[in-house]
Amino acid sequence: MYFLDALRLIAALAVLAWHWLGVQRFPGVWHGRTGALMPVGHAIGAYGWLGVELFFMISGFVICMSCWGRSVGDFVTSRVIRLFPAYWVSVLLTAAVLYFSPHRWGHDPSRPTVTRVLTNLTMSHAPMGVSDIDPVYWTLWSELRFYVLFGVVVWFGVTYRRVLAFCGVWGFLSLLAPQAHWPLLDNVVQSQFSWYFIGGMVLFLMHRFGQNLLLWGMLGFCWLMAQNRIALIMTVNEGGARERLSWRVAALVVTVCFVVMAATALGAFNWIRWRWVASAGALTYPLYLVHQEIGFEVITWLSRRLSPYPTLVVVLALMLAVAWLIHRFVERPLAPLMKRGLVSSFAAMRRAENPADRVARSVG
């Protein structure tokens, strides 16, 4: 599904526009507020944070698709080799840039400590109270929690009925969490973002098995809850934009995301077969990982020498080049090596749990 890669790229560019153009909390990056320097760019970028919501919906669709007929070991292997190689390099590269930077306009202006960097490498630093080396990493912890939850379905075997049941239970708990005032429950179910993951899974069921009233009803419910929860998320992001944002614009963008994803699931974009889209989609993840803090540093230096929009073009080209280097020389070589090692590890675990093998080894 080539168009999913295009949507990934659009979502990544939207988040990039939010950090580079929409956020006015760090005026030192552009040596002025982006609203004054680039009014049109800022007006668009001010809603780029909604790219994260699109990412989560795509994730629900793709994870459900990729787990069909696979074991827990297959699921874990696919996620590890997809997420960690580029992430490890991005953490180390970003930490190095921040450590030696004279600017450090990021979320945490202090120089990264060794323990902070090492803990970030686990991708599980947030529950340990360790701040992100790059603020964009918060979404990865949300993704990991989704993987753990969906791993329960994979354990029992992914079927139409089990995915539906999982979506229903997760949605019900997401309704209870805000009222229960139980932080642990809300931390697990992620009631702010769960509707996008659930919506993505429902859309995959439509894609695989066809549409019906039940699936459309569940998708509609996800959309209704998403437009409700977007108000709170928007309020948080107003602090970064340093201005009031429009709920109508945010709700419209969310609606467009649901409509476009539904059209994609139902095959409206199957005619797209451009190979460059898949290649561009492969750069989405490393681009997302390196664009904020490193991008800020480059913008801070370059914007003293170029006008705003040429600076934007040059920095985007540079970040795409860095993303390509990470994909070409980190992800592509390491993924098959890690896959072989993990497949071998899970095979050894299965052999160790086989009673016949244990008896044979003891006799030998």
Side-chain angles (χ1 to χ4, degrees), residues 91-92 95 99 111-121 130 133:
V91 169
L92 297 176
Y99 186 83
R111 288 187 173 185
T113 62
V114 173
T115 185
R116 182 175 163 220
V117 173
L118 293 177
T119 309
N120 265 253
L121 292 175
V130 178
I133 293 296

Side-chain angles (χ1 to χ4, degrees), residues 24-107:
Q24 298 192 106
R25 188 172 55 185
F26 311 120
V29 173
W30 286 95
H31 312 292
R33 294 192 177 274
T34 56
L37 296 171
M38 295 171 284
V40 175
H42 170 72
I44 296 172
Y47 295 91
W49 48 273
L50 290 162
V52 171
E53 279 64 34
L54 178 56
F55 264 133
F56 289 159
M57 195 179 304
I58 295 171
S59 181
F61 187 102
V62 172
I63 294 303
C64 194
M65 176 175 63
S66 62
C67 288
W68 215 275
R70 305 178 77 178
S71 67
V72 173
D74 295 334
F75 177 45
V76 172
T77 298
S78 68
R79 291 301 87 202
V80 169
I81 66 176
R82 177 69 182 96
L83 294 183
F84 279 96
Y87 175 74
W88 288 330
V89 171
S90 298
V91 169
L92 297 176
L93 182 60
T94 302
V97 169
L98 291 176
Y99 186 83
F100 294 105
S101 167
H103 307 113
R104 299 192 306 280
W105 297 112
H107 174 70

Side-chain angles (χ1 to χ4, degrees), residues 96-300:
V97 169
L98 291 176
Y99 186 83
F100 294 105
S101 167
H103 307 113
R104 299 192 306 280
W105 297 112
H107 174 70
D108 185 351
S110 63
R111 288 187 173 185
T113 62
V114 173
T115 185
R116 182 175 163 220
V117 173
L118 293 177
T119 309
N120 265 253
L121 292 175
T122 67
M123 206 182 287
S124 303
H125 52 279
M128 302 300 293
V130 178
S131 60
D132 301 307
I133 293 296
D134 191 309
V136 301
Y137 298 163
W138 73 267
T139 60
L140 302 180
W141 176 235
S142 293
E143 289 279 352
L144 285 180
R145 283 177 282 173
F146 166 50
Y147 298 160
V148 171
L149 290 177
F150 195 72
V152 176
V153 182
V154 179
W155 178 272
F156 288 100
V158 182
T159 64
Y160 187 113
R161 180 177 295 181
R162 286 169 182 161
V163 172
L164 274 181
F166 174 75
C167 291
V169 172
W170 192 6
F172 181 66
L173 292 176
S174 296
L175 293 174
L176 292 180
Q179 190 178 34
H181 303 295
W182 187 12
L184 177 59
L185 177 62
D186 206 14
N187 206 5
V188 171
V189 302
Q190 305 184 74
S191 61
Q192 288 290 92
F193 305 108
S194 58
W195 308 107
Y196 301 99
F197 291 115
I198 296 171
M201 288 185 285
V202 170
L203 284 170
F204 175 71
L205 294 180
M206 282 190 188
H207 169 74
R208 184 178 177 93
F209 298 101
Q211 54 186 312
N212 57 55
L213 184 59
L214 175 61
L215 294 179
W216 278 114
M218 294 181 69
L219 184 66
F221 190 85
C222 288
W223 172 77
L224 290 171
M225 296 309 301
Q227 63 80 31
N228 173 270
R229 302 299 287 173
I230 205 68
L232 180 59
I233 304 172
M234 184 184 70
T235 301
V236 173
N237 285 298
E238 284 178 340
R242 290 292 191 263
E243 63 183 42
R244 293 294 299 274
L245 299 176
S246 169
W247 175 86
R248 292 183 179 181
V249 173
L252 176 61
V253 174
V254 168
T255 302
V256 170
C257 290
F258 271 83
V259 171
V260 172
M261 281 293 297
T264 303
L266 297 178
F269 302 105
N270 285 352
W271 55 272
I272 294 179
R273 289 289 188 271
W274 308 322
R275 290 190 177 277
W276 68 266
V277 174
S279 300
L283 303 183
T284 298
Y285 182 53
L287 175 65
Y288 181 81
L289 292 175
V290 300
H291 81 270
Q292 182 168 339
E293 294 288 11
I294 297 176
F296 281 173
E297 294 298 325
V298 179
I299 291 171
T300 302

Side-chain angles (χ1 to χ4, degrees), residues 305-349:
R305 295 157 177 83
L306 293 176
S307 56
Y309 284 112
T311 297
L312 186 66
V313 172
V314 172
V315 177
L316 176 58
L318 179 61
M319 291 296 99
L320 284 170
V322 173
W324 180 84
L325 290 171
I326 293 174
H327 173 66
R328 174 62 182 83
F329 296 104
V330 177
E331 289 186 307
R332 286 175 60 180
L334 283 184
L337 293 175
M338 293 178 65
K339 182 176 182 178
R340 285 196 293 270
L342 288 170
V343 168
S344 176
S345 299
F346 282 111
M349 180 184 69

